[in-house]
Amino acid sequence: MALEFSAESEKRINEALDEYYNTQAALIPVLYIAQDEFGPVTPEVMDLVAKRLELPRMFVEAVASFYTMYLKKPFGRHHIQVCRTLSCHMAGAQNIVAHIKKKLELEAGGVTPDGKFSLEEVECLAMCGSAPAMIINKTNYENLTIEKVDEILDNLD
Amino acid sequence: MSELVLSKRFNTPDSHLLSTYEADGGYQAARKALDMTPEEVVEEVKKANLRGRGGAGFPAGIKWSFMPKDDGKPHFLCVNADEGEPGTFKDRSLMRFDPHQLLEGIIIGCHAIRAEYSYIYVRGEMWDEKEILWNAIRELRAKNYLGKGIFGTKNNLHIAVCTGAGAYVCGEETAMINSIEGKRGEPRLKPPFPAQVGAFGMPTTVNNVETISNIPHILKNGGEWFASLGVEKDGGTRMYGVSGPVKNPGLFERPQGYNLKKLIFEDAGGMLDGRELKAVIPGGSSCPVLKADEIDIPHNYDSLRDAGSMAGSAGVIVLPEDACAVKAMANLAQFYAHESCGQCTPCREGTHWLNLLIQRIEAGQGKMEDIDQLLQTCKNMMGSTICPLSDAAAMPMEAFVRKFRDEFEEHVRLGRCPRDGRL
Ligand SMILES: Cc1cc2nc3c(=O)[nH]c(=O)nc-3n(C[C@H](O)[C@H](O)[C@H](O)COP(=O)(O)O)c2cc1C
Ligand code: SF4
Ligand code: FES
């Protein structure tokens, strides 16, 4: 069955189209709207976005593939992104990652079998002054310790 | 303590609201500027000696004066909030705690360059900041501070937030313009420069968040006042970020030309847990590293250039003595290899080759020739690419190898990392 945007997504798409200079300029936000609704940006999602914005399918794919925040593979309900870059590394990011891997029995790039968590190591998140830092979905967490990570993860449903 | 300009309201409750900002005199500078001619505004900014805070330090007033006059085309002001340079975390706070300071700067800047459109390009991961900016924009629209005939003048202005989607290279101004247009964020060849052919083919100025946030203060208190806060040719204050093992990491607003050693040992509290200082990266990961005995200098564009480095984004990264220099640079080499957009062969191949070589040396599997290979590769990567990312990857590597060659050689001799990869 072909995908369709929900009424809520349609509303957000129309808002984006009002804000930007032309239809093509709305592509970056619309790909996020699609990801929020459907999960990974798969070929079917790209078909839908291309149709909705009346842009060439190849163009949509070229853009979606360029940016790392459009996830092409399945990800968990809680997508954990831990910064690996220098300041976070010096503050112990490697221990945080190792702990999450062990606790959730998860590898970087993987998803837990229940689909609850996925883990990714990412580059500098502009929180270096409060390292180590991570983002889960759209929420920032700073000054991480093992205890703090346990508390955060244990409180997610 | 020195005068706070940009971060004065950071600790005020509800500092992000229009009511808070207006109660503190907000939008008076915009009213004043809109009564001036664009040329007069540009002159005031020139007098201020405001240099771009995005990294290159280009004088803002001069950049604005490149915008054409009477060309009949729509003009754009694109604000760079992509903040992705490792070690940099100032624009996030400027947007979070004082979005109206930035928006007032945009209103003034758009008048100066005759722009009717402004896009704030915020890096994708900054979800809260995007929302804060949108809310602030809605507050302004409701009062007709944005839209048609703003503040009762003939000026029209549309401001919107654009979002990045995870690509460091989109911080480069022409890549950002492509991304704003909804395209792949690949840098464009210059010329033509954005002031001639920028966003949507129209004359465009790109400025950093911190650069623009300074504008209301310059209009309010005058260019000469702003210039007097800093040093010669470098006016105002700077949002210095300090990260790494110091007692009190974070953001410090200090005058341009603030002593780098003092910043680390007084403001940031000195080294954590009695560790010794080994080296400092003074302005984000792309700036050549300074050894501990090279940091008793003013932090500003000219002084750091004279010291063989750069002021960059003023994101100061502190490295302790017990950390492995090879490991530190290897961490950054991985970043650059990941972020090259791949359009230019020297950059695409060079960043990967540097990463491969240095990871091999760090792992104890390198050869002595690999060290010279690193330097040779750096040479081939510099000055020959579409954008400066290639140089930004090569410069720090070259400096690390030159200044810590003994550590690189020790890895090869021992066949392992003498510090077990400690950072
Ligand atoms: C690879 C690369 C990344 C950059 N990232 C940023 C950034 O995140 N923020 C920024 O303001 N400037 C960044 N710049 C510099 C911009 O190209 C541009 O010079 C700057 O935004 C101009 O604003 P300014 O004159 O106000 O500093 C980057 C440059 C390069 C080459
Ligand atoms: S220098 Fe690197 S990042 Fe810049 S355009 Fe060339 S390949 Fe892309
Ligand atoms: S290095 Fe991790 S947030 Fe900057």
Side-chain angles (χ1 to χ4, degrees):
Chain A
M1 202 183 76
L3 293 174
E4 263 184 72
F5 281 116
S6 65
E8 167 62 20
S9 293
E10 271 298 328
K11 184 166 157 270
R12 290 176 66 195
I13 293 169
N14 285 320
E15 280 168 9
L17 288 167
D18 281 346
E19 291 291 349
Y20 302 110
Y21 197 67
N22 60 26
T23 312
Q24 184 180 303
L27 175 56
I28 307 270
V30 169
L31 281 166
Y32 277 122
I33 296 170
Q35 180 162 292
D36 283 346
E37 179 165 358
F38 305 112
V41 180
T42 57
E44 296 75 50
V45 171
M46 292 183 211
D47 288 341
L48 175 67
V49 170
K51 196 170 107 221
R52 176 64 184 79
L53 296 181
E54 296 174 18
L55 292 170
R57 170 65 168 72
M58 254 173 58
F59 184 83
V60 172
E61 181 166 352
V63 171
S65 64
F66 182 82
Y67 297 97
T68 57
M69 285 178 68
Y70 303 127
L71 303 172
K72 284 75 184 187
K73 288 189 309 184
F75 52 94
R77 216 157 60 246
H78 302 289
H79 184 55
I80 308 168
Q81 300 147 74
V82 185
C83 172
R84 64 155 290 278
T85 318
L86 187 54
S87 301
C88 284
H89 191 126
M90 288 194 284
Q94 293 324 92
N95 302 338
I96 302 288
V97 171
H99 179 72
I100 296 173
K101 284 182 178 169
K102 198 163 138 224
K103 182 182 172 84
L104 303 178
E105 294 178 31
L106 190 59
E107 279 308 308
V111 190
T112 52
D114 59 0
K116 185 168 171 183
F117 292 108
S118 49
L119 174 67
E120 199 181 356
E121 285 186 74
V122 296
E123 300 294 348
C124 180
L125 292 169
M127 296 188 265
C128 331
S130 40
M134 68 174 175
I135 297 183
I136 302 181
N137 294 348
K138 298 183 178 179
T139 308
N140 299 337
Y141 299 93
E142 300 164 65
N143 294 309
L144 296 175
T145 58
I146 304 276
E147 297 74 43
K148 213 165 154 180
V149 168
D150 279 338
E151 197 190 311
I152 293 161
L153 296 182
D154 293 345
N155 282 308
L156 293 172
D157 56 24
Chain B
M1 201 165 76
S2 52
E3 187 171 359
L4 294 183
V5 179
L6 293 168
S7 60
K8 188 178 138 229
R9 278 178 296 271
F10 277 19
N11 294 317
T12 307
D14 291 330
S15 61
H16 61 292
L17 296 181
L18 177 58
S19 52
T20 314
Y21 189 65
E22 289 206 290
D24 199 25
Y27 291 102
Q28 293 306 331
R31 288 186 172 86
K32 184 174 168 185
L34 291 174
D35 277 340
M36 296 161 66
T37 65
E39 290 76 14
E40 284 167 344
V41 177
V42 171
E43 273 318 302
E44 207 57 45
V45 174
K46 279 189 187 164
K47 264 194 249 163
N49 289 340
L50 169 64
R51 295 175 72 167
R53 305 298 198 238
F58 195 83
I62 296 179
K63 191 188 272 190
W64 288 5
S65 69
F66 294 155
M67 289 291 276
K69 299 185 183 82
D70 308 320
D71 55 328
K73 290 180 187 163
H75 293 187
F76 290 76
L77 175 63
C78 295
V79 178
N80 196 336
D82 197 45
E83 191 154 76
E85 170 95 353
T88 313
F89 50 94
K90 62 190 179 67
D91 298 334
R92 182 193 285 284
S93 289
L94 288 167
M95 292 186 281
R96 200 177 181 90
F97 298 117
D98 216 332
H100 283 289
Q101 174 173 259
L102 172 62
L103 289 167
E104 185 172 17
I106 294 174
I107 292 173
I108 299 167
C110 284
H111 179 57
I113 64 166
R114 301 170 169 81
E116 295 198 356
Y117 298 90
S118 176
Y119 294 116
I120 311 171
Y121 185 86
V122 184
R123 75 176 277 182
E125 295 89 341
M126 292 192 184
W127 298 102
D128 292 346
E129 289 73 15
K130 283 184 267 185
E131 207 42 49
I132 289 168
L133 285 170
W134 273 123
N135 287 334
I137 289 169
R138 283 185 209 112
E139 286 182 294
L140 295 183
R141 287 179 181 172
K143 288 193 91 168
N144 199 31
Y145 289 5
L146 290 179
K148 293 219 180 330
I150 59 170
F151 295 98
T153 65
K154 281 195 236 127
N155 287 23
N156 302 330
L157 180 56
H158 178 81
I159 306 183
V161 178
C162 288
T163 177
Y168 164 69
V169 71
C170 284
E172 193 281 329
E173 57 183 13
T174 60
M176 194 184 92
I177 288 170
N178 273 334
S179 191
I180 287 172
E181 292 181 4
K183 300 175 181 161
R184 289 163 70 88
E186 285 161 346
R188 300 175 178 176
L189 266 173
K190 293 192 268 194
F193 290 93
Q196 273 72 52
V197 184
F200 308 100
M202 304 300 170
T204 299
T205 295
V206 178
N207 276 128
N208 170 262
V209 168
E210 187 184 346
T211 311
I212 296 292
S213 296
N214 276 306
I215 298 295
H217 303 282
I218 293 173
L219 268 289
K220 191 167 151 218
N221 301 316
E224 277 164 26
W225 162 83
F226 189 87
S228 75
L229 296 177
V231 289
E232 207 201 347
K233 288 197 269 169
D234 237 335
T237 61
R238 230 176 156 185
M239 301 298 296
Y240 294 104
V242 184
S243 66
V246 291
K247 289 197 184 107
N248 180 25
L251 271 182
F252 303 90
E253 181 179 7
R254 296 290 179 269
Q256 277 283 16
Y258 197 72
N259 184 281
L260 177 56
K261 189 170 182 182
K262 191 169 166 207
L263 180 72
I264 294 168
F265 284 95
E266 291 181 23
D267 301 272
M271 301 299 289
L272 193 65
D273 303 332
R275 294 164 90 173
E276 295 280 312
L277 177 70
K278 173 182 230 142
V280 175
I281 302 173
S285 59
S286 307
C287 302
V289 65
L290 299 172
K291 293 184 95 161
D293 60 5
E294 295 176 304
I295 65 163
D296 195 2
I297 52 171
H299 192 301
N300 66 292
Y301 292 106
D302 296 336
S303 136
L304 277 159
R305 190 200 49 220
D306 295 345
S309 185
M310 299 185 302
S313 62
V316 174
I317 308 174
V318 171
L319 300 172
E321 185 50 53
D322 53 308
C324 170
V326 181
K327 180 77 180 177
M329 188 57 227
N331 178 289
L332 296 176
Q334 188 177 331
F335 168 82
Y336 289 107
H338 183 252
E339 301 297 340
S340 168
C341 86
Q343 286 190 102
C344 322
T345 312
C347 174
R348 184 183 63 242
E349 313 255 302
T351 52
H352 284 276
W353 189 224
L354 289 182
N355 187 36
L356 199 130
L357 284 172
I358 196 167
Q359 304 294 349
R360 191 155 89 192
I361 294 170
E362 171 57 21
Q365 280 143 23
K367 300 195 268 302
M368 284 297 172
E369 306 91 87
D370 291 345
I371 303 173
D372 287 317
Q373 261 298 310
L374 284 173
L375 292 175
Q376 188 54 44
T377 307
C378 289
K379 224 187 239 163
N380 297 339
M381 288 170 70
M382 295 210 246
S384 59
T385 53
I386 296 175
C387 93
L389 187 144
S390 189
D391 298 74
M395 283 182 301
M397 177 68 81
E398 191 276 333
F400 261 98
V401 175
R402 190 159 39 79
K403 295 189 179 180
F404 296 102
R405 190 164 183 124
D406 51 336
E407 283 194 40
F408 282 77
E409 289 179 354
E410 208 182 348
H411 281 72
V412 176
R413 249 194 334 270
L414 293 175
R416 63 177 171 83
C417 174
R419 291 176 164 83
D420 293 325
R422 191 176 330 121
L423 272 187

